[in-house]
Amino acid sequence: MKLSRNSRGISIILLLVVLTLLVAILSMNVGKMNLSPLEVFKIIMGEGTSKQNLIVFDFRLPRIVLSILVGIGMGISGCIMQSLLKNDMASPGTLGISSGSGLFVLMYITLFASEGLLSPILLPGLAFAGGLTAAFLIFMFAFRRGRDISPTGLILTGVAMGSGYSALSLMLTLRLDKQQYDFALRWQAGDLWGDDWSYIMVLLPWVFIICFYVFYRSNTLNTLNLGNQTASGLGVAIKREFIGLTIAAVALASGSVALGGNFFFVGMVSPHLARKLVGPNHKLLLPTTALVGALVILIADTLTRTISFGADIPTGIIITILVTPYFLYLLSKAS
């Protein structure tokens, strides 16, 4: 039974990998200038024209890679938070982590933004500092001496803190000039703005090194799901693992938010969909969540580039429209 369940999970992961590749290829084909699959193949093989190379390698491919990286980061971050807090509503958005990261990014844009070489390196680092600060404050306010931290109380604290961060972000946004204000508005709505290879080369190792650590601790996450007392009896250092995995979740969410904007629902819904597909085993759940998150953002971004909505709509708005019905379904099941 266990073998068949694992085999089914591996089959679903392979299917999601193929589906992600197909959507990525489709995304390279479509846009304001359509390219046939044969043309895309020739471009990849180095036989494209200078104009075709510019479209694929400078515009579409970086955006596709960024969509996948941000989806992986937000999805796995949400999965870690839901597993650690044992609450299906936990995510970088509901816990205020995304808002804290966003506040630091906006502070950078408002006060220190430059087009210098260090910008791609500074943004994820500043976002991580903001997310870590937000996480520390949320846990500090939710802490009660002599009692375990309530997951519900933690989420409510996160929502309240997130509202405060959003208010501060709005104050900063109002100080921006028109160009900066337009950028900040689109970034807050979920705009994949960092679609430049210099930014992607910073985010790529950031995401994959942290993901490797999280996958390495998948057995620990499985044990923690049994409850703190059981996990402690099995030899798990609960506080150390909780802190390490929390920092990993914050780092993934912060890096994704810095270059991709605030995708509120991806970190919440991706683990739910993945859990329905492969179950609670984190060896299967984590890669499935990563692929689901990547697919959600990749499909939404392909739609924004393909369909004319009468305006340049940020990807995050399309994701919200697509995911809201499922979110309402989750709320109805929880009530």
Side-chain angles (χ1 to χ4, degrees), residues 96-115:
I97 306 299
S98 297
S99 298
S101 298
L103 176 62
F104 272 53
V105 171
L106 277 178
M107 287 171 62
Y108 171 75
I109 294 169
T110 306
L111 303 173
F112 308 109
S114 68
E115 298 297 326

Side-chain angles (χ1 to χ4, degrees), residues 106 109-110 171-178 180-181 184:
L106 277 178
I109 294 169
T110 306
M171 289 174 60
L172 287 174
T173 302
L174 295 174
R175 296 182 52 189
L176 302 176
D177 60 37
K178 187 179 185 305
Q180 290 176 327
Y181 177 80

Side-chain angles (χ1 to χ4, degrees), residues 37-151:
L38 181 60
E39 286 176 320
V40 170
F41 179 77
K42 287 182 177 179
I43 294 166
I44 293 173
M45 292 293 104
E47 299 177 8
T49 65
S50 58
K51 184 177 180 181
Q52 289 174 332
N53 288 335
L54 181 69
I55 291 170
V56 171
F57 291 116
D58 289 357
F59 294 131
R60 293 183 184 173
L61 192 57
R63 197 169 178 91
I64 290 167
V65 174
L66 181 63
S67 299
I68 292 171
L69 290 175
V70 171
I72 290 172
M74 293 300 290
I76 292 184
S77 178
C79 185
I80 295 169
M81 292 178 183
Q82 290 180 12
S83 297
L84 290 179
L85 299 179
K86 300 175 184 63
N87 191 303
D88 291 344
M89 300 300 291
S91 74
T94 53
L95 286 171
I97 306 299
S98 297
S99 298
S101 298
L103 176 62
F104 272 53
V105 171
L106 277 178
M107 287 171 62
Y108 171 75
I109 294 169
T110 306
L111 303 173
F112 308 109
S114 68
E115 298 297 326
L117 181 63
L118 291 177
S119 296
I121 299 173
L122 278 176
L123 274 171
L126 284 170
F128 177 55
L132 207 57
T133 302
F136 174 77
L137 291 173
I138 290 162
F139 277 98
M140 185 180 72
F141 284 119
F143 177 76
R144 297 291 181 273
R145 186 179 295 273
R147 287 189 289 173
D148 290 337
I149 294 177
S150 165

Side-chain angles (χ1 to χ4, degrees), residues 218-234:
S218 57
N219 281 332
T220 300
L221 283 167
N222 286 335
T223 307
L224 288 172
N225 267 352
L226 300 174
N228 288 348
Q229 288 185 340
T230 304
S232 180
L234 292 171

